[in-house]
Every structure is written in C-alpha cells, then in structure tokens.
Amino acid sequence: MADLTLNNQIKNITYPFYLKGNDFKKLSLKALPIKNWIDNHGQELTEFIYRHLNHYTLNGYQDIHLKDIPSAISKIDFVFREPLELIKDFKDELNRIRVNIINLEKILQNNKIEIKNILIQVQYLKQQQFIQTKKQEQESRVEYANNLTSDMGLDMDQIEDE
C-alpha cells in the first residue's frame, strides 16, 4: 500500500445549501405587488367583504332575485381573482424557499449532532488513552519498586532506625 500523506489544505467543498441570497431578494420582489395591491385596493376589498357579510347577516340576501345570483357569484370571483393570483405566485416561491430552509435546518442539525458525537467519541478515546497511560506508569513504578534490592541504597533496617 502506498504511503498516504495528510494534506491540511481543503481545495474544494460543495455542500447542499440550496438557498442563495438572491432567493430572498426575489421573494421580496414577489411580495411587493401584494403589498402594493393591499395599499391600493385593500380598503375597498375590506368594505366589499364587510358589506356582503352584513347583507347576508341582516337579511339573508332576501332582496336579491334568483336570476341575479349567478352574476353576483361571477362578480365575487372577479373581485378576488387578482389578489389570489398575486398570493399564489408569492406562495409558490415562498413554499420553495420554505422547503429549502427546512432541508437546510435538517442538514445543519444532523451535521451538528454528527460532529458533537465525533467529538464525544474522541473525548472517550482520549480518556481511555489517558487512563491506560496512567495504569502503565503505575505498573512500571510498582515493578520498579518490587525490583529494588538492599544494595540499591538504604535498606529497610536503616530506614526504620532513622
């Protein structure tokens, strides 16, 4: 097997970050027509909704003939069409970004957990290495102490006398 050398330089990393800064700018631009529509027609739509709900609540549309109801329904479709189309365009883009943000969150959480687990494993291994080193040091001291002889220095009788 050939000798492998570790190179501390990272040359190229790609990661599945599907969001770009431009996405948020595009989303803001898609939201702008909704804001403008609300600014220009919001009060009118509010009054339209309020008027029809009150009309139904107060008299149940008793004054409208049966033949006029289809045209009233068509008018309601027409009144709500523009804001709903603006919202749909925005919502589609928002959902795409939402999905990408959720995926990004999952990726980040998974990587965070994986890196923490790796560090915990490294900590455990280093603790085991430290314990093993200390055991070896202790064993070597005990072995050294067991191999002491009287000619290596003071003997036990001299130590007791002092």
Side-chain angles (χ1 to χ4, degrees):
M1 194 163 165
D3 290 333
L4 298 176
T5 58
L6 182 61
N7 187 354
N8 287 333
Q9 293 181 351
I10 298 173
K11 300 204 187 250
N12 188 11
I13 291 182
T14 57
Y15 214 73
F17 296 139
Y18 302 113
L19 288 171
K20 295 170 182 52
N22 200 24
D23 288 338
F24 296 104
K25 183 178 180 181
K26 287 179 186 175
L27 190 62
S28 294
L29 291 174
K30 285 202 179 257
L32 190 58
I34 297 170
K35 180 196 175 304
N36 290 339
W37 193 93
I38 291 170
D39 290 345
N40 295 332
H41 305 289
Q43 185 61 37
E44 183 181 337
L45 181 62
T46 302
E47 290 170 3
F48 178 83
I49 293 169
Y50 183 74
R51 188 171 53 250
H52 277 276
L53 293 177
N54 278 339
H55 195 86
Y56 176 73
T57 303
L58 295 176
N59 65 14
Y61 286 107
Q62 293 296 324
D63 55 344
I64 295 182
H65 291 26
L66 183 61
K67 65 179 179 159
D68 294 333
I69 291 178
S71 65
I73 291 173
S74 295
K75 181 179 180 184
I76 291 169
D77 286 338
F78 178 77
V79 168
F80 284 93
R81 179 182 303 132
E82 186 179 0
L84 289 174
E85 285 176 359
L86 292 172
I87 290 170
K88 184 188 179 312
D89 290 344
F90 176 74
K91 193 172 81 175
D92 291 345
E93 186 69 14
L94 182 65
N95 284 335
R96 184 189 66 78
I97 290 177
R98 180 181 177 276
V99 166
N100 287 341
I101 286 176
I102 289 170
N103 289 337
L104 176 61
E105 179 185 31
K106 288 177 185 176
I107 289 168
L108 293 175
Q109 287 291 351
N110 289 341
N111 282 285
K112 173 187 159 188
I113 291 168
E114 184 178 355
I115 291 170
K116 283 174 69 175
N117 286 340
I118 289 169
L119 284 172
I120 290 169
Q121 289 175 0
V122 167
Q123 179 186 21
Y124 176 77
L125 290 174
K126 288 195 175 282
Q127 288 172 341
Q128 293 302 317
Q129 289 173 347
F130 179 77
I131 291 169
Q132 190 65 27
T133 303
K134 290 300 177 185
K135 282 182 180 177
Q136 288 174 348
E137 288 174 6
Q138 184 180 11
E139 288 172 2
S140 67
R141 287 183 187 145
V142 168
E143 186 178 320
Y144 179 75
N146 287 339
N147 291 334
L148 287 177
T149 60
S150 59
D151 59 335
M152 296 179 105
L154 297 174
D155 63 15
M156 294 308 285
D157 294 330
Q158 288 177 330
I159 294 173
E160 287 175 4
D161 290 340
E162 293 177 3

